[in-house]
Amino acid sequence: MAPPPRQEGSEWFDPRAICRGREPARAAFFAFEDKTLALRGAEKRASRRFLDLNGTWKFAWSPRAGEVPEGFPEPSFDDAAWGEMPVPGNWELNGHGYPIYTNVIYNFHSDPPWIRFRGKDPDYNPTGAYRRSFDVPQEWLDQGLEVYLHIGAVCCGCRAWLNGTELGFSTDSKLPTEFRLTGKVTPGRNVLAMEVLCWTAGAYLEDQDMWWLAGITRDVYAYARPTQHIRDVQVRAFADGLLEVDAELATAGSALLAGAALHCELYPRGQEGDAVARVAAFDLPAAARTAEVAVASGSCRVEGVRLWSAEVPNLYTLVVSLGKSGEEGSVSEALRVSVGFRTVEIRQGRLRLNGNELTIKGVNRHEHDQKTGHVVGRETMIQDILLMKTHNFNAVRCAHYPNDPLWYELCDEYGLYVVDEANIESHGVDFHWDKTLGNKPEWGASHMARVQRYVERDKNHPSIIFWSLGNEAGNGINHHRTYMWLKKRDPTRPVQYEHARLEPTWATNDMETIDDNTDIFCPMYPSQAKLAKYGEKYEGSASALPLIMVEYAHAMGNTLGGFQEYWDVIYKYGVLQGGFIWDWVDQGIVAKTVDGKEIWAYGGDFGGEGTPSDHNFCINGLVRPDRTPGPHCLEAKKVQQPVAFESLTGEGKTLALSRDAPVTIRLRNRYDFRSLAHLDFTWSLTANGVEVKSGTLPSDSQTGPHAVSEPISLFTDSVLHESLPKEAVVGPVEWHLNFMARWKGGVSGPGCLEAGHVEAEEQFVLTPATPFAFSPPPRPQASEPSVDDAGGATLHVVAGRTVATIDRATGMLVGLAAGGEELLAAPLQPNFWRPVTDNDYGANLQKDMAFWRHAGRDAKALRPPAVSSRGPGSVTVETELAIGLAGAKLALSYEISERGVLVAAKWKPVSAQGPSVVLSGGVAFLRAMEANRHIDVEGPKLRARWKDQGDWQRLTISDPTTSAGQPLRHGASIALQAVTGKTEAELLVHGLVPVPGKAAEELPGGLSGLAVEATGSPAERPVWKLHRAAGDGEVAPGDEIFFEAADGSGRRLAAFEGGAVAALERGVKDAASIFVLEVKGQAPPARIGFRGTLKGGFENVEWFGRGPHESYCDRFASARVGCFEGTILEQTFKYVRPQENGNKMDTRWMALKRGSPSSGCAGLLIAASGSSATAGGLSMQCHRYALDDFDGPEDKLKQRFKHSGELESRAETDFCVDAAQMGVGGIDSWGNKPLPQHMLAADRHLDWSFMLRPYTAEEVPEQGAASFKFSALAHLC
């Protein structure tokens, strides 16, 4: 395509134009005027050689490139009419333009290097003009100091002027730009002007998964240096105590000062300036190389050095001062460098630090603030680091660009391993070798400059343990050259590149072919099975690359299912050394709706129609935008904990007691460097979820890293008898033994956390030698229930205080009254659906499972509910419901007594033969009768190649005029759809459509017809008429059918033995258009259970089950079994986009409590009964929000409430009681379902029962052992 107007010939849009007038890259440091300031670690602003230029600047914004006020750089320009902009600050969050979020695609059309916006205005490419005046300190001029301007970061490109004289041009949004101001500054007022362009050619290398925000985003300041000064310094410190210092001096064309030398002093951190504590002092003699440059180097060895690691980040302070050798008072400047002695290497197939193998428990982190966007302050950085460390993360990947220099200083200090990454991602360009920018020579200089500059800036940080060449930028000559340069420039650190493979894309389960430009195999989103394959293949190899996942466990919404399974595999194989979760923080931006509700906005919330967006795909963090940890963050903490508790008197998570031998455990130390001496270990014993006894374990200072402790014996069976308050217990007793490891008080030093912080915990089921069970008191004689069976719409049963009402048509419990008060606001109805999670949407489950959405609501009684039996004080009513139209059934019985209603259910899924009819929205396979091949879809292409029923052969057949789950009939207008691929944001779904004007290829026998491709709109649009060969009626599996184009042309879909697929005119080879419609089976439901709604007045909840936070069948390691309580409102976790939440697995009972108990009813106890109770309970949840308000339709973008801030609590309480729910998944959010063992089997039969038991205040007083009382009531149910 021709370049857009005014772009050709402009350096803004030339990939070879990297900079002009910019100073060479150097290490991040500030040089003070004296050594005292450097020693005490003063802030830059304490120096007389520092001038802060942050603050409010004059600002003018234009929506198009280059449209800046004429003459604005001139000092005389009148900017009185301009607006203002904070520096640092993003334009879009300060009233100019709008935030845009995309993940894969650029927000401009991909046509390197030209910029054409994807929105309504193709010329939209905002430009900002900045002006700021300042006075240069007179002493700078009097002393003849060199003056420089530092711009910490500016997006995406900038030009700068001082007093009307252009300083230069720069690109790269995430690295500093420095210009020399010497000779251009004047006494008194100086005017600094900048032109900033939103998207230059460099934006093609900045397609990271984040908001597109423009502006000056890091600090701006001026600083002064002596004419001869330290231009750069490099420090290398190794585990053997060797310290090497190399320096480069700028001499400004004058002779090097006689006797010039760098004086180096090394102190332990916190003891700077203490001559006794100083561990090294040495000079580096300087020698001139040219008239402009001199160099100096030297080394020393420090004996008994304390090593740096993320666990114990011992730091030293190196003060480097420039002066004359031996003359203390001759110092002209001094700088300070944090030094950590450590050695990073890959040896014998393992990543090692200081000789020890590392386990990377990492997370990817974007620079994001919910209010200020890409401007992140010190307090937020420290908050992130402390949250990471308290949740058992030891590493962070700077995704996907160099961060603010302060971030690395804090990681050095607090202790985090860092993967530093070049600001290179060209995701929106094809990854194939002939198209990727990584293999285009004209982009080589841009790639090289970005790698070289970030390495030079960050080279002195001990926290950086390996470098990254970039992210998702293809592979090719440019990446090979940057790899080779980096290995030569810094041989002390490994280099990784996730795209260092021969294949253009990565695979979930299959192994890629690793290229030579990486030292680490760093796959993206591998499955647990893929890790196991690599481990099995390379565990014994001394030359294999260690595997460290660069991104895994995509943390979008309700997710991180299967995380325990990841770490089970990692701990099994030493060659698997961990990975980095994607990612840390939900990138929501605080905003308000039109009605004033505060929300976290995401892609699509700004800019109006036509604005490019990947919607809520930026909401994939472990913590919310305000840094509140999500439940999945707690799961990561538990699974990654550095101490494991292992049973020696049982298997797995059980401990067996005997009368003679004590229960015994051992500790496994999973730290890489620490012993366990800093931890206090405690245990607590619970009976039915209530703590009855506790104690401590002996302190352990002997168990070193990667070692196991000696066996630790605790108590015998007798302790259980002594601990139990027998008068409070009715029925069987469940015992659990909990362990916790907390940081000791009085422990101080680098890397230490607050006293009492829980570092690790574990729970074991205790099995006593003799089971405990306490008989309940005899029940009083209950009155016989009465049944109103007059044949109306409902059936009423009165049993003492309890009145139950059952609908005859649906078989559902529609009323439950106690003491004259009705409790139900809506029927107790079967439930097979859950509010769609982001992972569900990504795997297309909202469509695959669509016929389950209303299956419970629409259930019909196959036989009217009728009394089946009468017992002492109870009546049992039975019925059977038809669920959907495919043949599934739910048998129900209600045993009604004065205690409440015992609900028993038996789930009978569709038979193994599959459904008897074909349902709209279901998955089917089309087998061409004559060719005996199934139609398959690969990308846009249709073929008929194989006889099997695989993923490529899966087609969705929908009649948009009916709801999902309804039978398809002869003559229906239908849409045929298939998954054609996936991006790292979504599955790609397209319709199978005839292509007008395009001839089909490879047709046999001279036939001609239209090509049929999978290129139709993802929206369900009827393109075909479905006909049964047998004529009118419902379509059944095995029917012979044909598809005729719905446009009236009469063309029919046809397939041939050679693989060709086409749309042929009616009467042309009709035999090729006959297909057999095959259905492998119905997709299983997302859950199997019940939902109900209680009337207003219920405020609090207490339960005996897993908690205190939510849990699912593939994410429950962090949720222990116990008794928990809180408000019902607190049980809803508000994911940024509403979805399924709040589930409590293994719940024995849940008590929903009224805020103001009445004499008739204080609350409702929901208790697992019978085998459901003995098997560990059911899944339950409760909300003061409507469950349907969490849900979304088939199209996520049409969800009613797109943001949790829009949800409105209500007086009623919705609750769920489930026999089973599928897992939440967690490999990715664009195709992978939960692991097979975490899905519900389509043919799984289930029996479960639970009691709805209204209770009075007298039965369960608020004071005393209420939890034991509820357990007793549950047993009496």
Side-chain angles (χ1 to χ4, degrees):
M1 295 175 65
R6 299 187 303 278
Q7 292 190 18
E8 189 171 21
S10 167
E11 65 184 347
W12 291 122
F13 306 105
D14 183 352
R16 298 177 180 86
I18 300 163
C19 67
R20 177 170 41 78
R22 188 173 67 189
E23 289 293 297
R26 62 173 178 85
F29 62 81
F30 185 82
F32 295 92
E33 58 269 30
D34 61 57
K35 193 163 65 174
T36 302
L37 290 172
L39 281 169
R40 78 171 195 230
E43 294 286 333
K44 290 190 285 285
R45 64 187 65 254
S47 171
R48 299 192 310 276
R49 294 180 178 174
F50 172 83
L51 181 61
D52 189 1
L53 297 179
N54 284 348
T56 302
W57 290 43
K58 300 295 286 184
F59 182 74
W61 182 88
S62 168
R64 289 177 176 79
E67 291 187 356
V68 292
E70 186 176 353
F72 86 94
E74 297 299 325
S76 59
F77 182 85
D78 184 3
D79 59 15
W82 283 20
E84 295 180 335
M85 179 63 59
V87 172
N90 288 124
W91 304 344
E92 297 82 358
L93 303 182
N94 288 280
H96 297 277
Y98 45 87
I100 299 173
Y101 165 71
T102 62
N103 169 27
V104 175
I105 63 169
Y106 295 105
N107 54 17
F108 40 85
H109 294 282
S110 182
D111 181 24
W114 316 120
I115 303 293
R116 292 182 181 86
F117 185 56
R118 287 182 181 271
K120 289 186 175 181
D121 180 4
D123 293 327
Y124 181 76
N125 187 359
T127 302
Y130 290 80
R131 281 172 57 92
R132 159 83 192 240
S133 63
F134 63 94
D135 292 337
V136 173
Q138 187 60 41
E139 67 175 301
W140 292 10
L141 302 176
D142 293 344
Q143 296 175 14
L145 298 177
E146 292 282 323
V147 182
Y148 296 90
L149 172 67
H150 175 96
I151 307 165
V154 57
C155 181
C156 164
C158 72
R159 290 192 181 109
W161 293 261
L162 184 68
N163 299 327
T165 300
E166 186 171 4
L167 301 173
F169 157 83
S170 182
T171 59
D172 194 331
S173 298
K174 294 297 183 179
L175 284 174
T177 293
E178 293 193 331
F179 294 116
R180 183 170 178 260
L181 305 185
T182 308
K184 301 178 183 69
V185 291
T186 61
R189 179 175 179 265
N190 289 265
V191 176
L192 176 62
M194 291 178 60
E195 177 186 355
V196 176
L197 182 61
C198 201
W199 307 308
T200 69
Y204 276 96
L205 297 182
E206 298 181 2
D207 187 27
Q208 289 92 352
D209 178 11
M210 64 180 185
W211 290 98
W212 295 85
L213 300 174
I216 302 171
T217 56
R218 294 180 190 156
D219 293 337
V220 179
Y221 56 87
Y223 65 93
R225 307 289 296 275
T227 303
Q228 295 193 358
H229 58 267
I230 304 169
R231 202 204 70 79
D232 197 9
V233 64
Q234 180 173 12
V235 178
R236 296 179 296 273
F238 301 96
D240 61 0
L242 177 62
L243 176 67
E244 298 178 338
V245 181
D246 293 340
E248 180 183 328
L249 282 68
T251 59
S254 58
L256 188 64
L257 295 174
L262 295 180
H263 184 62
C264 299
E265 299 175 55
L266 186 69
Y267 299 88
R269 178 56 57 89
Q271 297 178 279
E272 292 85 352
D274 185 336
V276 176
R278 187 174 65 192
V279 295
F282 55 97
D283 284 346
L284 308 181
R289 283 277 177 89
T290 69
E292 303 288 336
V293 177
V295 296
S297 65
S299 64
C300 73
R301 193 172 297 276
V302 180
E303 299 298 330
V305 69
R306 296 195 298 271
L307 301 183
W308 187 96
S309 68
E311 293 170 15
V312 189
N314 290 306
L315 284 178
Y316 292 79
T317 298
L318 178 68
V319 175
V320 182
S321 54
L322 175 61
K324 290 185 178 181
S325 180
E327 294 186 20
E328 185 66 25
S330 66
V331 171
S332 60
E333 65 174 6
L335 58 89
R336 170 189 176 108
V337 180
S338 293
V339 176
F341 287 85
R342 88 286 184 276
T343 297
V344 185
E345 59 186 336
I346 293 177
R347 194 169 78 225
Q348 294 185 311
R350 301 291 188 270
L351 173 68
R352 299 173 186 262
L353 182 78
N354 305 334
N356 289 13
E357 294 182 12
L358 284 184
T359 303
I360 298 297
K361 300 169 181 178
V363 65
N364 287 271
R365 172 186 176 270
H366 268 297
E367 291 184 311
H368 178 78
D369 185 279
Q370 62 175 342
K371 294 180 179 178
T372 57
H374 293 171
V375 180
V376 181
R378 179 187 183 93
E379 295 77 13
T380 301
M381 293 184 199
I382 293 174
Q383 183 183 20
D384 280 348
I385 290 173
L386 291 178
L387 279 169
M388 289 177 187
K389 291 187 72 71
T390 55
H391 287 83
N392 291 326
F393 289 94
N394 65 5
V396 62
R397 178 184 178 219
C398 295
H400 302 291
Y401 40 79
N403 281 204
D404 189 305
L406 177 59
W407 175 252
Y408 304 93
E409 295 176 23
L410 295 172
C411 291
D412 293 342
E413 178 183 348
Y414 285 90
L416 279 177
Y417 303 121
V418 175
V419 176
D420 204 8
E421 190 153 271
N423 186 21
I424 296 174
E425 177 169 342
S426 51
H427 203 160
V429 178
D430 196 306
F431 288 155
H432 286 82
W433 288 73
D434 61 336
K435 295 180 180 178
T436 175
L437 302 186
N439 204 35
K440 299 287 186 185
E442 64 269 27
W443 289 85
S446 294
H447 284 75
M448 184 63 75
R450 289 167 183 255
V451 170
Q452 290 176 337
R453 294 182 70 233
Y454 99 95
V455 169
E456 295 298 348
R457 189 197 69 165
D458 298 338
K459 56 184 173 262
N460 291 331
H461 290 284
S463 56
I464 298 173
I465 61 169
F466 43 99
W467 305 109
S468 169
L469 301 180
N471 181 72
E472 291 180 312
N475 202 13
I477 188 62
N478 297 329
H479 298 294
H480 280 270
R481 285 173 175 165
T482 55
Y483 173 82
M484 290 186 287
W485 177 88
L486 220 169
K487 293 301 292 182
K488 183 177 180 180
R489 179 68 181 90
D490 181 17
T492 70
R493 294 179 176 100
V495 176
Q496 73 163 37
Y497 182 46
E498 62 84 18
H499 221 123
R501 59 177 182 266
L502 301 188
E503 297 83 3
T505 58
W506 44 263
T508 301
N509 296 305
D510 297 329
M511 213 71 67
E512 297 85 2
T513 310
I514 307 170
D515 207 346
D516 295 331
N517 54 328
T518 187
D519 301 325
I520 295 165
F521 179 35
C522 45
M524 274 195 169
Y525 304 103
S527 65
Q528 297 87 341
K530 181 174 179 175
L531 295 188
K533 287 180 189 176
Y534 194 87
E536 290 165 5
K537 185 173 183 179
Y538 293 113
E539 180 68 4
S541 172
S543 58
L545 302 185
L547 187 153
I548 300 173
M549 294 173 284
V550 70
E551 294 175 22
Y552 79 115
H554 196 258
M556 185 177 184
N558 189 347
T559 185
L560 232 68
F563 194 67
Q564 180 69 63
E565 284 79 356
Y566 270 117
W567 280 87
D568 288 344
V569 177
I570 290 168
Y571 284 135
K572 183 176 180 180
Y573 299 102
V575 73
L576 308 180
Q577 292 191 259
F580 297 86
I581 294 173
W582 185 267
D583 66 338
W584 176 243
V585 61
D586 286 336
Q587 295 179 63
I589 294 175
V590 172
K592 287 194 174 180
T593 62
V594 292
D595 56 355
K597 293 178 180 176
E598 188 170 275
I599 62 170
W600 282 310
Y602 48 74
D605 288 330
F606 305 99
E609 186 180 354
T611 302
S613 175
D614 278 324
H615 308 289
N616 74 318
F617 212 77
C618 58
I619 306 297
N620 43 27
L622 292 168
V623 300
R624 292 192 287 185
D626 64 356
R627 266 56 182 185
T628 304
H632 46 321
C633 188
L634 303 178
E635 186 79 356
K637 174 185 177 179
K638 170 63 174 64
V639 173
Q640 295 179 153
Q641 65 188 22
V643 183
F645 302 81
E646 299 177 346
S647 168
L648 295 180
T649 52
E651 293 184 4
K653 294 296 188 292
T654 65
L655 286 167
L657 281 165
S658 71
R659 294 183 179 85
D660 305 318
V663 63
T664 304
I665 66 162
R666 69 180 180 187
L667 306 176
R668 182 176 296 275
N669 183 350
R670 285 192 166 133
Y671 286 108
D672 294 325
F673 296 95
R674 279 190 179 274
S675 72
L676 303 180
H678 62 290
L679 298 175
D680 281 329
F681 293 90
T682 60
W683 59 267
S684 64
L685 179 64
T686 67
N688 288 349
V690 180
E691 183 178 314
V692 295
K693 194 175 183 63
S694 62
T696 61
L697 300 183
S699 181
D700 184 341
S701 60
Q702 304 300 316
T703 305
H706 305 164
V708 294
S709 72
E710 294 295 320
I712 303 169
S713 297
L714 294 174
F715 49 76
T716 61
D717 198 67
S718 61
V719 168
L720 275 60
H721 292 270
E722 300 164 1
S723 306
L724 193 66
K726 300 176 180 61
E727 69 282 354
V729 178
V730 173
V733 180
E734 286 189 63
W735 297 95
H736 289 90
L737 185 58
N738 301 320
F739 294 95
M740 283 193 178
R742 295 181 174 89
W743 277 76
K744 289 180 177 178
V747 176
S748 61
C752 290
L753 300 177
E754 288 186 2
H757 166 71
V758 177
E759 187 87 333
E761 58 184 312
E762 194 56 84
Q763 182 177 72
F764 293 91
V765 175
L766 274 181
T767 56
T770 304
F772 287 64
F774 297 89
S775 299
R779 291 176 178 170
Q781 184 67 34
S783 60
E784 289 301 312
S786 63
V787 180
D788 179 1
D789 197 9
T794 57
L795 184 153
H796 296 272
V797 178
V798 180
R801 298 174 59 257
T802 301
V803 179
T805 305
I806 301 167
D807 187 280
R808 292 182 186 278
T810 65
M812 298 179 197
L813 181 71
V814 295
L816 175 60
E821 296 182 60
E822 179 58 52
L823 302 183
L824 292 183
L828 179 74
Q829 68 182 36
N831 190 19
F832 305 94
W833 185 258
R834 72 179 184 197
V836 188
T837 69
D838 288 306
N839 286 350
D840 293 344
Y841 273 120
N844 212 35
L845 297 182
Q846 86 282 8
K847 291 187 177 182
D848 288 355
M849 296 180 172
F851 38 80
W852 294 110
R853 186 184 287 268
H854 301 303
R857 182 198 68 184
D858 298 337
K860 297 291 187 288
L862 292 171
R863 47 187 171 83
V867 175
S868 63
S869 63
R870 294 176 181 267
S874 68
V875 164
T876 300
V877 176
E878 292 186 345
T879 186
E880 187 171 50
L881 309 185
I883 306 298
L885 299 174
K889 299 176 183 178
L890 183 69
L892 284 177
S893 73
Y894 305 100
E895 183 182 333
I896 304 153
S897 67
E898 64 179 4
R899 298 185 302 280
V901 178
L902 177 64
V903 182
K906 292 187 177 181
W907 171 243
K908 304 173 183 178
V910 179
S911 69
Q913 286 73 39
S916 57
V917 293
V918 179
L919 304 179
S920 177
V923 173
F925 304 84
L926 295 182
R927 179 169 58 84
M929 280 279 290
E930 189 174 73
N932 195 26
R933 297 287 190 275
H934 288 95
I935 285 185
D936 64 86
V937 180
E938 185 179 9
K941 190 162 186 177
L942 269 65
R943 284 169 290 190
R945 294 182 290 180
W946 298 300
K947 299 180 181 180
D948 60 336
Q949 295 180 350
D951 285 344
W952 286 2
Q953 288 82 29
R954 288 167 55 94
L955 302 176
T956 301
I957 306 181
S958 302
D959 178 354
T961 66
T962 66
S963 60
Q966 297 299 309
L968 291 172
R969 297 188 60 86
H970 170 77
S973 296
I974 60 98
L976 285 171
Q977 293 178 306
V979 174
T980 56
K982 63 180 181 179
T983 70
E984 195 192 318
E986 60 184 345
L987 285 178
L988 302 177
V989 179
H990 289 93
L992 276 58
V993 296
V995 183
K998 184 175 181 179
E1001 299 175 353
E1002 302 174 356
L1003 292 179
L1007 293 174
S1008 63
L1010 287 183
V1012 180
E1013 295 180 348
T1015 55
S1017 166
E1020 292 182 355
R1021 189 167 58 88
V1023 174
W1024 306 95
K1025 286 277 190 181
L1026 171 62
H1027 296 275
R1028 296 176 72 237
D1032 193 27
E1034 294 180 345
V1035 180
D1039 276 359
E1040 295 180 13
I1041 59 173
F1042 61 90
F1043 297 92
E1044 192 168 274
D1047 60 4
S1049 66
R1051 293 182 182 274
R1052 293 184 177 185
L1053 182 68
F1056 299 89
E1057 188 171 354
V1061 177
L1064 302 181
E1065 292 184 3
R1066 185 189 304 125
V1068 177
K1069 193 64 175 174
D1070 281 352
S1073 66
I1074 302 298
F1075 295 87
V1076 176
L1077 197 154
E1078 299 176 350
V1079 178
K1080 186 182 288 187
Q1082 191 176 33
R1087 70 184 341 144
I1088 300 172
F1090 291 86
R1091 59 180 289 181
T1093 303
L1094 300 180
K1095 289 194 170 184
F1098 291 84
E1099 301 289 342
N1100 300 304
V1101 63
E1102 185 174 350
W1103 74 96
F1104 175 25
R1106 290 196 178 273
H1109 52 272
E1110 66 184 31
S1111 53
Y1112 293 85
C1113 69
D1114 57 353
R1115 199 191 76 212
F1116 64 88
S1118 58
R1120 67 184 184 278
V1121 175
C1123 284
F1124 306 95
E1125 59 183 333
T1127 68
I1128 297 174
L1129 274 171
E1130 292 169 340
Q1131 307 317 308
T1132 297
F1133 185 80
K1134 291 187 176 181
Y1135 292 99
V1136 172
R1137 185 194 70 78
Q1139 55 196 276
E1140 161 66 32
N1141 72 91
N1143 190 61
K1144 275 91 174 162
M1145 282 185 61
D1146 300 333
T1147 302
R1148 283 68 166 169
W1149 52 258
M1150 177 177 283
L1152 299 167
K1153 304 178 182 181
R1154 281 185 156 174
S1156 300
S1158 66
S1159 58
C1161 180
L1164 179 69
L1165 180 70
I1166 307 173
S1169 180
S1171 60
S1172 297
T1174 57
L1178 301 168
S1179 286
M1180 301 185 192
Q1181 58 181 271
C1182 59
H1183 303 276
R1184 285 284 299 281
Y1185 299 90
L1187 286 171
D1188 292 340
D1189 288 351
F1190 302 143
D1191 200 8
E1194 287 196 3
D1195 182 353
K1196 185 198 288 191
L1197 303 185
K1198 297 178 180 178
Q1199 185 166 350
R1200 180 186 174 200
F1201 296 109
K1202 294 185 175 69
H1203 310 86
S1204 60
E1206 298 174 280
L1207 295 171
E1208 294 184 359
S1209 63
R1210 58 181 192 160
E1212 296 82 6
T1213 295
D1214 276 13
F1215 66 90
C1216 295
V1217 184
D1218 296 327
Q1221 183 182 164
M1222 73 179 188
V1224 294
I1227 292 176
D1228 60 36
S1229 303
W1230 53 88
N1232 277 291
K1233 300 175 184 177
L1235 296 177
Q1237 63 267 35
H1238 300 142
M1239 295 290 290
L1240 304 187
D1243 59 352
R1244 182 181 178 185
H1245 289 248
L1246 286 170
D1247 292 4
W1248 75 103
S1249 58
F1250 57 95
M1251 185 75 174
L1252 299 177
R1253 209 297 191 183
Y1255 66 88
T1256 65
E1258 291 74 23
E1259 289 178 297
V1260 184
E1262 286 299 315
Q1263 304 300 319
S1267 296
F1268 279 130
K1269 289 285 189 180
F1270 283 125
S1271 288
L1273 281 183
H1275 174 68
L1276 292 174
C1277 290

